Amino acid sequence: MNPITRRDAVAATLGGAIVLTNCGKPQTAENGKMPTDAQDTHSFSQPEKIRVRKLALDLAVSFDDKTLAGTAVLQFDAATGKDALVLDTRDLDISKIETSADGSTFSEAKWSVGQRDAILGAALTVTIPASTQFVRIAYKSQPAASGLQWLTPAQTAGKKHPFLFSQNESIHARSWIPIQDSPGVRIAYTARIRAPKGLLVLMSAEHKGASATAKEGVFDFAMDTPIPAYLIALAVGDLQFAEVGPRTGVYAEPPLLAKSAREFEDMEKMVTAAESLYGLPFGGMENPRLTFATPTILAGDKSLVGLVSHELAHSWSGNLVTNATWSDFWLNEGFTTYIENRIQEAVYGRDQAVMEQVLARRGLDKELSETPKPDQMLHIDLKGRDPDEGTTGIPYNKGALMLHQMEQVFGRETFDAYLKAYFDHFAFQSITTSTMLDYLFRELLEKHPEQAKQIPVQDWVYEPGLPVSAPKAASPRLEAVSKAAAAFAAGSTPASSIDTKQWSTQEWLEFLQALPPLKAAQMAELDKAYRLTQSGNSEVLDQWLKMAIPADYAAVNPRLEAFLLEVGRQKFIRPLYTELMKTPAGQKRAKAIYAKARPGYHPIAQTSVDKIVKSAN
Ligand code: BES
Ligand code: ZN
């Protein structure tokens, strides 16, 4: 079992919701090029036959039924009459499908839904007459749609209104939109969303205007720059906006708004830092304009805002240059993790960036030691598997480490220029690992053959583990902390005499992770000195709870239960349930807590925690 899964941060989670916005600049058009080796095994659609270019959604949000209901109009290049349009769906209730040549006169079409695959959902095949360019599908999503989380008022920070948000990556768009759900297919979209009066609707698109009827608010959106389906996003709730900078702001539920605006006040600086690294090759940056973030990063001291730098970095690696298939996921996440660290360095200084590298490396070493060999490669085989299974920390941290090595070997100036040119060259395209490597050889390695010998590219990408030459960051601040941990563990320093006053989140994490397995009495001593069980910092608390379970330190029990009930972020809850399931007594507790917590979790988290908590049966 991998202790770290990374797939939930772009979503607001339980206990309140925050949505960050990067209002973006004018967009430019894509060039639609696609390499031919980009076989996506996670989509039924056959874009090489008919490629969808535009989507127009018109959907009503019903919190009573937990459905989105309405129509999707898909536009594609004129069909020859021989082709069928194949779309991805998962559990959609389709009532009618029509086709049209001009987008205004529609006539009923022949269509069928194939057999349902547990991972992929079902193919929807529509017969398309010659010269047809539009298809209109009337449908409804299911209450259990895997890409939507419906929160009751009790699950929100404000407690008064319900909340809905989508999470499409990796292949969940198909659970609420019939679409070519492959990262190799980019589409522009418009949407008209109707929601109960008083709620605000947000999408990863430009907001074009709002109106209202007696019962409903009606919101219009347009995303003119073609994006992959996994970047379409929707949030509906009692949200308010606070400006952070000229191009940045935050949407949050009213009780979280002031705290969020404070925590993220450096967002404009992050955007500036990111831009000065990679430039704005198109006079604007491709960006779905709306990052979703979990409230568990509101630590009160900005120590966890690296996540914002991370999501911002995706404006280049991911949204501008996209992985063509989910086996190429490291092109999105490894590059992004590297750029995240560069933004952190620019905004918070080298010390902070290096501490984050050191912690990432410890996590990576641990994860590699627990992961089957084939899944340790950067380019991984996901055939027949749910692509969400590829979302371990390995593509993130091993990928980033490879880029750190290239930066060190070629020098920052050369490597920055290379990356900038890379983003320029592949802008608005979805590319495979081999396309990226061709470019790397041509534009960097072959130009600096002596230095290139120091980069074992093949080992990085296609071998398990890490090359022996993988760089290892060192942080004097963290080294001092791990000495303090060793002294405490050896019994030579009492907890109360460790000087923790200046410690940041990263130093606390280092301290706890550097400790050997503790006895309950040692945990009690630390708790007495530092009130760790009461920590309001989600990362520190999570680390503490993970240690308390095997130590049988029962004083954390109420806090552990409350945390599992309040937080839905998989990165935290999965390792905690896994730890509990290791003993018979823990299994009993895990089951009792999970029975209460499960209804409040996102469908994706439900599926993955089901496997953990049931595995002992
Ligand atoms: N794009 C990912 C989230 C994702 C990955 C969703 C795969 C579904 C499938 C996002 O950018 C991300 O990486 N989030 C991280 C936070 C980050 C700071 C490492 C997370 O959720 O922990
Ligand atoms: Zn990411």
Side-chain angles (χ1 to χ4, degrees):
M1 180 67 53
N2 291 305
I4 305 168
T5 60
R6 302 282 198 160
R7 66 186 159 208
D8 57 349
V10 290
T13 59
L14 306 181
I18 323 163
V19 180
L20 308 174
T21 180
N22 169 354
C23 308
K25 290 210 167 163
Q27 317 270 346
T28 53
E30 61 140 20
N31 63 16
K33 269 188 247 147
M34 258 282 291
T36 46
D37 60 340
Q39 270 309 333
D40 182 359
T41 61
H42 295 108
S43 174
F44 289 112
S45 69
Q46 299 165 3
E48 63 288 354
K49 296 205 178 121
I50 300 184
R51 179 173 290 263
V52 175
R53 303 281 177 190
K54 276 189 191 156
L55 161 74
L57 288 172
D58 185 335
L59 296 172
V61 181
S62 167
F63 283 99
D64 296 334
D65 303 344
K66 296 192 181 172
T67 58
L68 298 176
T71 56
V73 177
L74 302 170
Q75 187 183 345
F76 38 86
D77 301 335
T80 62
K82 288 193 205 105
D83 307 322
L85 172 67
V86 187
L87 300 173
D88 294 294
T89 69
R90 187 187 284 133
D91 305 328
L92 297 179
D93 263 337
I94 298 170
S95 50
K96 189 179 193 178
I97 301 186
E98 300 153 296
T99 56
S100 165
D102 59 6
S104 60
T105 328
F106 281 86
S107 46
E108 209 141 341
K110 277 205 197 122
W111 55 277
S112 63
V113 175
Q115 212 190 332
R116 183 186 194 281
D117 178 274
I119 294 168
L120 303 179
L124 165 61
T125 306
V126 186
T127 306
I128 305 289
S131 67
T132 300
Q133 289 192 62
F134 297 87
V135 56
R136 180 162 71 197
I137 303 168
Y139 72 101
K140 212 159 74 173
S141 65
Q142 296 270 3
S146 62
L148 300 175
Q149 186 170 16
W150 300 86
L151 301 185
T152 61
Q155 290 175 289
T156 66
K159 310 287 174 210
K160 286 196 212 86
H161 302 278
F163 191 88
L164 163 69
F165 69 93
S166 65
Q167 167 54 49
N168 284 2
E169 192 179 8
S170 306
I171 55 170
H172 303 285
R174 62 190 70 177
S175 73
W176 63 283
I177 309 171
I179 198 164
Q180 292 185 318
D181 192 6
S182 167
V185 178
R186 306 175 90 91
I187 46 176
Y189 79 90
T190 61
R192 166 163 286 190
I193 307 289
R194 304 151 199 280
K197 248 203 167 137
L199 299 184
L200 186 66
V201 178
L202 301 173
M203 290 195 83
S204 56
E206 187 184 344
H207 184 199
K208 289 294 206 185
S211 58
T213 66
K215 279 195 294 208
E216 289 178 329
V218 182
F219 297 80
D220 287 304
F221 300 91
M223 171 49 89
D224 297 333
T225 306
I227 59 171
Y230 79 86
L231 291 176
I232 299 174
L234 171 70
V236 184
D238 181 21
L239 290 164
Q240 277 179 18
F241 183 70
E243 196 177 282
V244 168
R247 295 167 302 171
T248 51
V250 51
Y251 290 94
E253 286 193 75
L256 294 178
L257 191 65
K259 185 174 185 198
S260 302
R262 267 199 312 278
E263 195 84 11
F264 303 136
E265 74 185 354
D266 297 328
M267 229 169 2
E268 195 68 29
K269 283 190 214 155
M270 292 172 176
V271 175
T272 307
E275 281 176 355
S276 71
L277 282 173
Y278 306 111
L280 285 172
F282 297 93
M285 66 181 181
E286 149 64 13
N287 193 330
R289 293 154 171 261
L290 197 70
T291 282
F292 288 6
T294 159
T296 60
I297 59 170
L298 299 174
D301 63 358
K302 303 186 193 172
S303 58
L304 302 178
V305 298
L307 182 139
V308 180
S309 295
H310 178 97
E311 303 312 335
L312 172 64
H314 274 307
S315 302
W316 286 266
S317 41
N319 302 5
L320 186 64
V321 179
T322 307
N323 51 209
T325 79
W326 297 113
S327 291
D328 307 304
F329 183 61
W330 77 281
L331 295 183
N332 277 17
E333 297 301 343
F335 279 59
T336 291
T337 302
Y338 169 79
I339 298 168
E340 166 195 342
N341 197 254
R342 294 290 306 273
I343 297 171
Q344 289 291 99
E345 180 183 323
V347 178
Y348 298 108
R350 179 111 185 121
D351 261 16
Q352 178 68 24
V354 171
M355 287 198 294
E356 293 181 13
Q357 285 174 32
V358 170
L359 288 166
R361 177 62 186 269
R362 163 143 350 79
L364 176 61
D365 287 341
K366 178 163 190 286
E367 194 162 16
L368 286 169
S369 73
E370 294 164 350
T371 303
K373 283 219 158 69
D375 290 353
Q376 296 179 21
M377 296 165 198
L378 286 178
H379 182 267
I380 80 167
D381 184 5
L382 287 168
K383 205 161 192 302
R385 296 159 70 191
D386 187 329
D388 287 350
E389 277 182 35
T391 64
T392 67
I394 294 169
Y396 289 76
N397 295 316
K398 183 176 172 181
L401 207 52
M402 176 181 174
L403 301 200
H404 279 293
Q405 183 179 57
M406 294 200 277
E407 182 200 313
Q408 282 172 21
V409 167
F410 296 105
R412 192 167 263 197
E413 205 182 322
T414 303
F415 190 59
D416 282 356
Y418 166 77
L419 267 192
K420 192 168 173 172
Y422 165 83
F423 291 128
D424 240 327
H425 186 79
F426 292 113
F428 303 108
Q429 294 186 47
S430 301
I431 65 168
T432 59
T433 298
S434 57
T435 301
M436 177 267 167
L437 291 179
D438 282 350
Y439 187 80
L440 177 70
F441 279 100
R442 209 170 57 239
E443 298 298 328
L444 187 64
L445 304 183
E446 283 165 16
K447 289 185 178 165
H448 306 272
E450 273 313 304
Q451 287 148 314
K453 287 183 196 149
Q454 298 175 53
I455 315 283
V457 176
Q458 179 73 19
D459 295 353
W460 277 112
V461 181
Y462 297 107
E463 294 293 333
L466 293 177
V468 282
S469 64
K472 193 139 201 178
S475 156
R477 268 169 70 184
L478 293 189
E479 275 155 22
V481 170
S482 71
K483 280 204 193 102
F488 170 75
S492 48
T493 317
S496 55
S497 67
I498 308 169
D499 186 9
T500 64
K501 270 185 269 354
Q502 304 295 319
W503 281 6
S504 64
T505 297
Q506 284 69 31
E507 283 157 306
W508 273 109
L509 289 174
E510 172 72 15
F511 178 75
L512 295 175
Q513 290 175 9
L515 290 167
L518 294 183
K519 305 236 159 52
Q522 290 170 300
M523 295 206 71
E525 188 191 336
L526 284 173
D527 216 2
K528 189 161 171 245
Y530 303 111
R531 298 177 51 79
L532 289 159
T533 302
Q534 300 319 318
S535 173
N537 183 306
S538 61
E539 294 279 354
V540 173
L541 178 64
D542 176 59
Q543 182 62 42
W544 178 248
L545 295 173
K546 273 192 297 205
M547 297 162 61
I549 297 167
D552 247 331
Y553 176 52
V556 300
N557 288 358
R559 183 80 167 121
L560 172 63
E561 173 161 348
F563 189 63
L564 287 170
L565 282 167
E566 172 191 325
V567 169
R569 192 177 175 193
Q570 297 193 95
K571 179 187 178 189
F572 297 144
I573 65 177
R574 290 181 47 148
L576 289 171
Y577 283 111
T578 304
E579 206 48 68
L580 282 170
M581 290 303 287
K582 287 181 181 165
T583 65
Q587 286 170 15
K588 234 177 108 192
R589 286 175 57 213
K591 284 181 187 166
I593 297 171
Y594 188 45
K596 280 192 254 173
R598 190 181 187 280
Y601 290 163
H602 189 284
I604 298 173
Q606 291 180 350
T607 306
S608 73
V609 179
D610 281 356
K611 287 186 196 148
I612 296 168
V613 175
K614 283 188 187 125
S615 63
N617 288 347

